[in-house]
Amino acid sequence: RLTSPCFVYRYYTTRRKDLGVATLFLDQSSVVLHLTGLNFSIPLLTFVPLCGVTAWLASGVLSLSAMASEWFHKHDDPDADGWHWVYRVATVFHAWFCIWCLTFFVFFVRFIVSSHVSTWYWAREPREEALLDISLSWAIGRCLSYHAGSIALLGMYSLAYAPVRLVLRFKNAVLRRKPNPESHAMMYRGGAVCQIALHGTSLRRGAAWQMHLKMRNEEVVRQCLGAASSALLAGLITVASISGVITTCLTHVMPDADGVNVGLVPAGVSAAMSAAIYVTFFTSYIEAIETILQCFCEDMERNDGTPLRQYYMPESLKKLIFEEVKGQVMPSETDADDKFEDEMRESRKQRREQKRERKRVRESQAGSQAGTQSAA
């Protein structure tokens, strides 16, 4: 019970710089989502399914656990022990299946958001015109037609590798080493959705590409994505904790609620529903931040700011990354022009030298031919 409040208190008090970066990234994501129109459509699309699956998870776990407990106390029945374990296994399977359904739906929604945000990012000004060619129905149809299987497998792999990923992260943190670029546990994460939506690639390639891209840009990813993820996680813990505490207090105020454990089940259900509502409204922000960051890293690797290879990033994002995160002066068009002029001057110099060399070769060949003719 003390872990969550301590984490929230430590984050809000000791990591103010990261909180400021996370706030700037959330503001940028809000602008993008407003332009794409997903800040209203995504919550409406996700609220009912997420709450429904969460309620199905809670009711199923409670019902199956009650049946398992009932068979456990039937000492006169010889088959009681076997049915007890059957219901226990069914409880675990039901919980895993519901969590997979939630994960699949979250990844499905993230694919829709990533399709819109990547289209917005890789468009020149005015960017709003590029968004007129895509719609919510187009993104849903694209996912169902081509990438639904990859999204479903990603949800399964991410859940299966979650314990291994925690162990590897702890080991890498203790040994202070970088993760293995070929580790499947570190590959199959939610960030692969962005690569699948951006490049239309397979699950394996998308998972590998997103991991290698983040490893090549470790500093920017750590400061931007880590700060934004920590802020959203702190908000999730805060909302769930407040909801659980309020529900526990209300149940213990009841005249018949004398037991200590009476309010735990309602508090758990209330915290789960609060977490589902929180995820409903912030799923689009999570994927918008992830997509903007990965597109920015690819933009930095492909372009250098010269007139022939201009950055696709908007000015607000350029200022955020270069000044707030990297602590560098934002590259201006003058710098890009100077670099372009230097490259053109060097190219002209090389062409002149090549031209002189060809002229010397022709003159030497003409002289040798004249000498041969005179000797003949």
Side-chain angles (χ1 to χ4, degrees), residues 326-342:
K326 288 188 173 184
Q328 301 176 358
V329 178
M330 186 176 64
S332 61
E333 296 182 358
T334 305
D335 298 334
D337 292 339
D338 294 340
K339 185 177 180 180
F340 178 73
E341 289 294 335
D342 294 338

Side-chain angles (χ1 to χ4, degrees), residues 110-153:
R110 290 180 63 172
F111 180 91
I112 297 173
V113 176
S114 182
S115 299
H116 285 76
V117 176
S118 59
T119 303
W120 169 85
Y121 187 95
W122 295 106
R124 297 296 185 183
E125 298 293 346
R127 301 174 184 270
E128 293 79 3
E129 296 181 358
L131 299 176
L132 299 177
D133 298 331
I134 63 175
S135 61
L136 182 62
S137 59
W138 170 83
I140 294 175
R142 182 192 175 199
C143 184
L144 293 177
S145 301
Y146 303 105
H147 304 291
S150 298
I151 299 299
L153 285 177

Side-chain angles (χ1 to χ4, degrees), residues 29-276:
S29 301
S30 300
V31 174
V32 177
L33 294 175
H34 175 71
L35 292 176
T36 56
L38 298 178
N39 52 346
F40 294 106
S41 58
I42 291 299
L44 295 176
L45 180 66
T46 58
F47 179 75
V48 175
L50 284 179
C51 290
V53 175
T54 304
W56 183 30
L57 170 63
S59 60
V61 168
L62 292 177
S63 301
L64 293 173
S65 299
M67 294 296 295
S69 178
E70 182 180 355
W71 281 103
F72 179 77
H73 291 89
K74 290 184 178 180
H75 301 287
D76 54 344
D77 193 339
D79 299 331
D81 188 61
W83 282 108
H84 165 72
W85 286 109
V86 167
Y87 280 104
R88 288 299 183 190
V89 173
T91 303
V92 175
F93 177 78
H94 174 77
W96 181 87
F97 180 76
C98 291
I99 294 175
W100 173 80
C101 290
L102 289 173
T103 306
F104 169 75
F105 191 77
V106 169
F107 286 165
F108 182 83
V109 173
R110 290 180 63 172
F111 180 91
I112 297 173
V113 176
S114 182
S115 299
H116 285 76
V117 176
S118 59
T119 303
W120 169 85
Y121 187 95
W122 295 106
R124 297 296 185 183
E125 298 293 346
R127 301 174 184 270
E128 293 79 3
E129 296 181 358
L131 299 176
L132 299 177
D133 298 331
I134 63 175
S135 61
L136 182 62
S137 59
W138 170 83
I140 294 175
R142 182 192 175 199
C143 184
L144 293 177
S145 301
Y146 303 105
H147 304 291
S150 298
I151 299 299
L153 285 177
L154 179 61
M156 186 179 299
Y157 288 158
S158 62
L159 291 178
Y161 284 122
V164 182
R165 187 160 53 246
L166 292 176
V167 174
L168 290 178
R169 285 182 175 177
F170 177 77
K171 185 184 297 185
N172 294 333
V174 172
L175 300 178
R176 294 183 179 180
R177 66 183 184 186
K178 294 183 178 181
N180 183 9
E182 302 299 329
S183 174
H184 289 80
M186 303 302 294
M187 285 184 184
Y188 292 105
R189 295 180 293 176
V193 176
C194 174
Q195 293 294 321
I196 296 174
L198 177 59
H199 300 290
T201 183
S202 62
L203 172 61
R204 182 178 179 83
R205 288 185 178 182
W209 288 356
Q210 66 90 21
M211 182 179 179
H212 297 162
L213 180 66
K214 291 180 179 178
M215 292 184 67
R216 292 194 301 268
N217 302 272
E218 182 180 3
E219 181 182 358
V220 176
V221 172
R222 178 176 52 82
Q223 295 187 38
C224 298
L225 188 60
S229 301
S230 300
L232 293 175
L233 179 60
L236 175 62
I237 294 175
T238 302
V239 170
S241 300
I242 291 176
S243 178
V245 169
I246 292 176
T247 305
T248 304
C249 295
L250 292 177
T251 53
H252 280 80
V253 170
M254 299 172 61
D256 297 332
D258 296 331
V260 178
N261 296 325
V262 173
L264 294 182
V265 173
V269 175
S270 176
M273 295 298 293
S274 300

Side-chain angles (χ1 to χ4, degrees), residues 359-370:
K359 184 177 181 181
R360 285 195 297 266
V361 171
R362 287 195 301 268
E363 290 177 352
S364 62
Q365 290 177 354
S368 62
Q369 290 177 0

